[in-house]
Amino acid sequence: MTHPTLLVIAHGSRDPRHAATVHALTERVRAARPGLRVETAFLEFNAPSVPRVLERLAAEGADEVVALPLLLTRAFHAKTDIPSVLREARARLPRLHVRQADVLGPSPLLNAALGRRLREAGVRPGDLPRTGLVLASAGSSDPEAIAVIAEIARELRHTGWCAVRPAFASALLPRTEDAVRALRAEGVDRVAVAPYVIAPGRLPDRIVAGAEAAGADVLADVLGPAPEMARLLLDRYDETRVTVGASLSA
């Protein structure tokens, strides 16, 4: 029995670093599970598009696909854009069984990837009691997505940081620079900024600019192709594949 193809669906960006990072992550997924077919598609700005990849898979005889949104929270793209694209594809390709996986977050593996990036940027365990953390996400107008970011910030507060503040690059306040300055005003000695984003682009660049403008002591990299991210993609794939198998045998 062949395994379903894993189709990783990224948002896409005019910034070439975005697609390069996405492809680096999917390459790590392939390396972690030899024999699994992993394809990459984008909602906009980059090629190939989701419909084109699904059409190619159907033409090549594939019959099952797990479509995995490369998204950290369930907001507009996960709830509306991707389901719409997949519905249209199912109508045009009735022999191709496509199941949408859940988004990546929240997950302990995301927190582990965040910790990895902060350690790479120079944060050591002994630094945490005197260091404030700004958890900087892209931002969303979706209440569910906002609640997830707030909950992650609360969880991180209990891992040793002296304070943790969420910040947003769009849609909401505070911005990264505001959160850094607020921590300074509270007397926090050292401030680290952790971009809670997968790949570089316009909004992540706002996070970087805000951190630099406010004089953050540490600026971590995006999550990108961290090993924990590859594990998480495979976990979401496996969860969906098991569900698909159960539904087909029912």
Side-chain angles (χ1 to χ4, degrees):
M1 180 179 177
T2 59
H3 295 300
T5 297
L6 170 57
L7 174 59
V8 178
I9 302 177
H11 180 271
S13 171
R14 293 186 177 90
D15 188 323
R17 297 173 298 166
H18 176 91
T21 302
V22 171
H23 288 304
L25 176 56
T26 53
E27 281 299 327
R28 188 178 282 273
V29 173
R30 290 188 188 97
R33 187 167 298 180
L36 173 63
R37 182 169 184 176
V38 182
E39 298 284 345
T40 308
F42 299 89
L43 286 174
E44 55 184 340
F45 301 123
N46 302 103
S49 67
V50 177
R52 297 294 83 79
V53 174
L54 290 173
E55 288 165 5
R56 175 164 54 81
L57 289 171
E60 293 173 1
D63 53 9
E64 292 183 41
V65 174
V66 171
L68 173 59
L70 196 62
L71 301 169
L72 299 179
T73 58
R74 292 189 73 252
F76 182 78
H77 295 305
K79 294 178 178 179
T80 303
D81 277 356
I82 292 176
S84 176
V85 170
L86 296 182
R87 276 195 304 271
E88 292 172 4
R90 291 186 191 104
R92 289 184 290 103
L93 307 166
R95 295 185 181 181
L96 187 64
H97 185 84
V98 182
R99 182 68 60 93
Q100 181 176 335
D102 201 359
V103 296
L104 300 180
S107 167
L109 286 169
L110 284 174
N111 293 357
L114 200 74
R116 174 186 292 274
R117 294 307 188 216
L118 284 161
R119 289 192 300 274
E120 292 170 350
V123 175
R124 298 292 175 258
D127 298 332
L128 269 60
R130 64 184 185 89
T131 304
L133 176 66
V134 175
L135 181 70
S137 71
S140 172
S141 59
D142 188 291
E144 181 180 353
I146 298 165
V148 166
I149 299 300
E151 179 59 28
I152 294 168
R154 284 191 291 268
E155 290 176 3
L156 290 171
R157 176 66 183 84
H158 296 295
T159 61
W161 300 94
C162 72
V164 180
R165 291 285 187 92
F168 307 93
S170 68
L172 296 171
L173 297 175
R175 296 289 185 253
T176 301
E177 54 269 35
D178 300 328
V180 172
R181 290 172 181 140
L183 288 171
R184 297 278 194 215
E186 293 172 8
V188 174
D189 289 341
R190 197 162 180 256
V191 178
V193 174
Y196 193 66
V197 294
I198 295 173
R202 179 175 57 87
L203 294 181
D205 280 351
R206 286 187 189 174
I207 294 171
V208 172
E212 292 175 346
D217 301 284
V218 176
L219 173 60
D221 200 358
V222 297
L223 298 171
E228 296 85 359
M229 294 293 290
R231 280 182 54 199
L232 181 53
L233 264 65
L234 288 170
D235 282 354
R236 291 289 184 259
Y237 168 81
D238 289 336
E239 292 162 4
T240 310
R241 182 167 60 88
V242 168
T243 302
V244 170
S247 65
L248 290 176
S249 61

